[in-house]
Amino acid sequence: MTDNPKHKAGSTISRRRVVVGGSAAAAVAGLAVTGAAFADTTTSEKTTADATATATSTSDACYTLTAEVTEGPYSLDGALVRRNISEDKPGVEIKYTFTVLDVANDCEPLNNALVELWHCDHLGEYSGFVGGNGHTEDDNGTFLRGGYVTDSDGKVHITSIWPGHYVSRAVHVHMRVHIGQTLEDGTYSGGTICHTGQLFFDPDINATVQALSPYSENTTEETLLADDSVYDDAGVSSGLLTIKAKGKKAKNGYTACITVGVDSTATSTGGGGTPPSGGPTGEPPSGAPTDTASASASASESS
């Protein structure tokens, strides 16, 4: 599949090296991974075959390359810093665990990185752009947007709802990883973005969720993962989440995890892009978050 060029990162990405791993890479996060992982592990000495295989496995888990993609046309600056971004939106709960590794520091966990997410609601509407998918609802410019900082193990937990869908794109979540930011009044300022990407969902599990209420209220046509213009069928290395059910029924919710490696010495300016044909359109409402979001706009942290 050929990615849609308007979703790919352009020349605004400088010295970029982004990696993504699944549960195997999450295990690697606790190991002392050295710069040797970048080296060619091929050797003619039979006695080193086992060590070479182990090194190759570790390297593959930690340095699986993924395409850098733009943030899309629905990003807003000044995300709220909070562990729960769902606000009062209905839907199936999903609890994310992200592990962020620093490729520039021998794949060590990256502490104090702000992992930011945003996605549409069960009707396929983004806060700040409500109405673009054909539905009418209140738009406060903040629902299903926000993020939190990683701990010393590079981990962060964020709670939201399973995203809905809109015409022309498969179900997905947008992600940015910030470093060097300043936290104040429930939002952030400054710093740089060292990863801009998108996360995707198992198509069978997604089909189960989309058939449930309130997702079934969304009558717009859904694009399947196999037909998405951004996802390139490479599984975890393309942002496919590892998902587990929290109970026997979908309504009990899910957990999802992925490991994201970033080059802390690189800088990405992101890039907005043009809304895909049939996708949400519009302008952010007054009062939507900005880089200078006030304390009253940011509200208190939800955990």
Side-chain angles (χ1 to χ4, degrees):
M1 176 182 296
T2 302
D3 288 351
N4 187 329
K6 69 186 174 186
H7 291 291
K8 300 293 290 184
S11 59
T12 55
I13 308 301
S14 61
R15 298 191 297 120
R16 301 288 296 119
R17 184 165 195 169
V18 181
V19 295
V20 176
S23 56
V28 173
L31 303 178
V33 182
T34 69
F38 286 105
D40 182 2
T41 56
T42 302
T43 177
S44 60
E45 298 182 27
K46 188 175 185 300
T47 55
T48 62
D50 290 342
T52 297
T54 300
T56 301
S57 175
T58 298
S59 176
D60 288 346
C62 199
Y63 299 104
T64 303
L65 296 179
T66 187
E68 175 79 359
V69 299
T70 67
E71 63 198 15
Y74 314 120
S75 64
L76 292 174
D77 293 325
L80 306 186
V81 178
R82 51 186 181 175
R83 291 187 178 95
N84 191 322
I85 67 173
S86 59
E87 296 191 6
D88 60 350
K89 302 301 290 184
V92 173
E93 183 179 82
I94 184 166
K95 293 188 174 183
Y96 299 97
T97 297
F98 300 105
T99 303
V100 182
L101 307 180
D102 188 359
V103 176
N105 187 28
D106 295 338
C107 224
E108 287 293 309
L110 187 58
N111 186 27
N112 204 39
L114 173 63
V115 176
E116 176 192 1
L117 305 179
W118 69 96
H119 62 85
C120 65
D121 65 7
H122 65 288
L123 295 175
E125 302 287 353
Y126 283 87
S127 60
F129 301 88
V130 165
N133 202 37
H135 304 93
T136 301
E137 57 180 333
D138 292 338
D139 189 352
N140 63 1
T142 64
F143 67 75
L144 306 180
R145 296 180 182 272
Y148 208 71
V149 294
T150 58
D151 61 19
S152 59
D153 294 321
K155 292 186 180 296
V156 62
H157 306 284
I158 301 174
T159 299
S160 189
I161 61 167
W162 195 284
H165 67 272
Y166 58 92
V167 175
S168 79
R169 287 300 314 280
V171 171
H172 62 283
V173 169
H174 296 269
M175 167 190 271
R176 287 189 293 212
V177 179
H178 305 251
I179 58 173
Q181 71 285 337
T182 299
L183 305 183
E184 185 178 9
D185 294 334
T187 185
Y188 74 92
S189 62
T192 58
I193 299 171
C194 60
H195 175 56
T196 303
Q198 296 180 24
L199 306 172
F200 299 93
F201 299 79
D202 178 274
D204 293 331
I205 301 175
N206 178 64
T208 298
V209 173
Q210 298 296 324
L212 298 176
S213 177
Y215 300 91
S216 56
E217 298 172 13
N218 185 353
T219 58
T220 55
E221 182 178 358
E222 181 179 357
T223 297
L224 300 180
L225 185 62
D227 299 323
D228 190 67
S229 61
V230 174
Y231 182 71
D232 62 5
D233 299 318
V236 170
S237 64
S238 294
L240 187 65
L241 293 158
T242 299
I243 298 173
K244 290 183 61 177
K246 294 173 65 178
K248 294 183 178 180
K249 296 183 178 181
K251 67 180 182 180
N252 296 134
Y254 295 88
T255 61
C257 66
I258 198 165
T259 295
V260 181
V262 301
D263 183 348
S264 62
T265 66
T267 301
S268 167
T269 58
T274 302
S277 176
T281 59
E283 296 294 334
S286 60
T290 64
D291 280 330
T292 57
S294 66
S296 60
S298 62
S300 61
E301 174 191 321
S302 176
S303 60

